Amino acid sequence: ILFDLEGVVQKCSHPGIVRIAGDFFNEIPTIGADGIMLCRVLHDWNDEKARIILNNCFRAMKPGGILYIIENGDPDPEVDLSLLSLNMAVMCQSRERTQMEYFQLCSKAGFSSERTVRLNALQTILIFTKP
C-alpha cells in the first residue's frame, strides 16, 4: 500500500500497489497493515512535526505492528553528516538526528524499540513495535 499525497500516488502505476491519497499530518488510515515504513521522511521535519507523523502512525497501527524508520541515524557514522544537516536546516528547518533522538521521538509516541539494522555507511533501519 502506498499512502502519500495525491500527486505522488497518481504517479505510481505499478499494478500490484494499492494507492491511498492523504496527508500524514492529518491522519493515516487504519487499513490493517502489519507495518509502516518511513524511508527518509522524518529527517525532513522538525521535532514537532515528526511527533505528529509518529503519533498518527501509532494510531493507524494495530497492536504488535512494526514501524520501520530508514534514516541516517548510525551512532558512529562513517560519513560526516554536518553538511547534510546544514542543508536540512536551510531547506526544511530540520536536521539529521542521532539514533538516540529517533528512539526518544518514537518512545514519546508510544513505540517500543526493537532493534537496528545498518544498511550501509550512511543509513540504518530503526525498528519499533506498537505494544
Side-chain angles (χ1 to χ4, degrees):
I1 297 170
L2 171 64
F3 174 74
D4 211 320
L5 296 173
E6 180 71 35
V8 175
V9 297
Q10 285 181 356
K11 292 178 183 180
C12 177
S13 60
H14 191 282
I17 295 179
V18 174
R19 300 173 300 161
I20 301 174
D23 181 344
F24 55 46
F25 288 114
N26 295 324
E27 179 182 30
I28 298 173
T30 304
I31 48 181
D34 295 321
I36 293 175
M37 180 179 2
L38 300 174
C39 182
R40 307 281 296 140
V41 170
L42 295 176
H43 80 131
D44 287 341
W45 306 103
N46 62 32
D47 286 353
E48 179 184 341
K49 289 184 177 183
R51 277 193 287 276
I52 292 169
I53 296 167
L54 290 168
N55 288 335
N56 286 340
C57 286
F58 191 85
R59 281 191 287 278
M61 296 175 76
K62 61 185 179 181
I66 301 173
L67 175 65
Y68 301 92
I69 297 175
I70 302 173
E71 291 287 355
N72 299 332
D74 194 278
D76 186 28
E78 296 174 16
V79 178
D80 181 9
L81 299 177
S82 58
L83 289 178
L84 185 54
S85 197
L86 176 61
N87 182 57
M88 297 305 300
V90 171
M91 301 293 291
C92 308
Q93 293 75 51
S94 186
R95 63 188 166 73
E96 294 297 329
R97 293 179 180 89
T98 65
Q99 271 190 18
M100 186 55 65
E101 289 169 315
Y102 283 112
F103 293 150
Q104 291 168 348
L105 281 171
C106 290
S107 176
K108 287 179 183 176
F111 289 101
S112 298
S113 176
E114 285 297 311
R115 62 190 172 102
T116 62
V117 178
R118 189 171 184 170
L119 290 176
N120 52 46
L122 192 58
Q123 295 178 324
T124 300
I125 305 174
L126 307 168
I127 303 170
F128 300 88
T129 56
K130 177 179 178 176

